[in-house]
Amino acid sequence: MNACIFCKIVAGQLPAHRVYEDEDVLAFMDINPINHGHVLIIPKVHYAELRSIPLATSTAVWEVVKKVEQAIWQTPGLSCEGTNILQNNGAAAGQDVFHAHFHVIPRLSGDGSRFRFKLVHSTDETRKEWAESIKNQMDAK
Ligand code: AMP
Ligand code: ZN
C-alpha cells in the first residue's frame, strides 16, 4: 500500500512523533490534534477498516489503546479530565485515512468540542426488531 500515509509512517518514510511501537502496533501523535495529547493507534499492517483486521491483531491494537488512554490521564500538563476513543469506518462515518486507526483524545471540561449526532426516531418495537436483525447476523457468522 504505497500511497497510504500511515503505511509510510510505519515504514519511516514520513515523519511522526512515536509514542509506542511493537511488532504489530504503532501509536503516534495526530498531526491535527483536537486537544494536546491526541494520539492515533494503528496496526502496522494495512487494513482499511476495523472489520478487516484479524481478531488477534485488533486485540493487540486495543491493548495499546488502553495503555495510551491510561497514560494520557496521568501525563502532567495535559490536565486530562476525560477521553474520547474514536474509530471511524467509511467515508460516511468521517474516515479520511483508509488505514484503520483508533483516536485517543484527551478532553477538558469546557474545551468546546462536541459531537453533533442527529438522532433518528425509534420506538421500543423498532429497537426490538433491529436487535433481532443484528443478533441474527451475528449468529450466522
Ligand atoms: P479519520 O477522520 O478518522 O480518518 O482521521 C484521520 C486522522 O489522521 C486525522 O485526525 C488527521 O489529523 C490524522 N493525520 C492525517 N495525516 C497525518 C500524519 N501525516 N501524521 C499524523 N496524523 C495524521
Ligand atoms: Zn496503510
Side-chain angles (χ1 to χ4, degrees):
M1 263 291 171
N2 287 341
C4 172
I5 52 175
F6 287 179
C7 283
K8 286 186 175 165
I9 287 173
V10 170
Q13 293 161 1
L14 275 179
H17 295 289
R18 294 172 185 238
V19 172
Y20 174 88
E21 146 160 52
D22 62 31
E23 206 181 323
D24 302 314
V25 184
L26 176 65
F28 55 98
M29 304 308 293
D30 194 295
I31 205 166
N32 285 313
I34 289 172
N35 274 325
H36 295 303
H38 181 165
V39 174
L40 301 176
I41 296 97
I42 64 170
K44 284 189 168 176
V45 171
H46 182 95
Y47 301 104
E49 299 178 3
L50 180 66
R51 67 187 184 282
S52 317
I53 307 176
L55 188 57
T57 307
S58 62
T59 302
V61 172
W62 183 252
E63 280 183 23
V64 178
V65 171
K66 285 269 295 168
K67 285 180 187 166
V68 168
E69 199 266 353
Q70 177 156 5
I72 279 172
W73 277 99
Q74 294 160 345
T75 301
L78 287 181
S79 307
C80 178
E81 295 176 292
T83 65
N84 290 120
I85 310 300
L86 188 63
Q87 205 277 313
N88 299 323
N89 296 290
Q95 185 176 10
D96 288 326
V97 177
F98 283 83
H99 181 133
H101 53 279
F102 285 83
H103 299 251
V104 180
I105 306 165
R107 297 298 306 272
L108 296 88
S109 53
D111 64 17
S113 284
R114 282 196 62 188
F115 293 110
R116 297 220 176 84
F117 288 116
K118 189 168 71 65
L119 307 184
V120 294
H121 176 71
S122 85
T123 63
D124 195 56
E125 186 57 30
T126 58
R127 291 191 294 277
K128 178 172 178 282
E129 285 169 13
W130 285 118
E132 280 165 10
S133 298
I134 295 166
K135 180 178 182 305
N136 288 342
Q137 194 60 42
M138 291 176 78
D139 290 345
K141 296 285 167 196

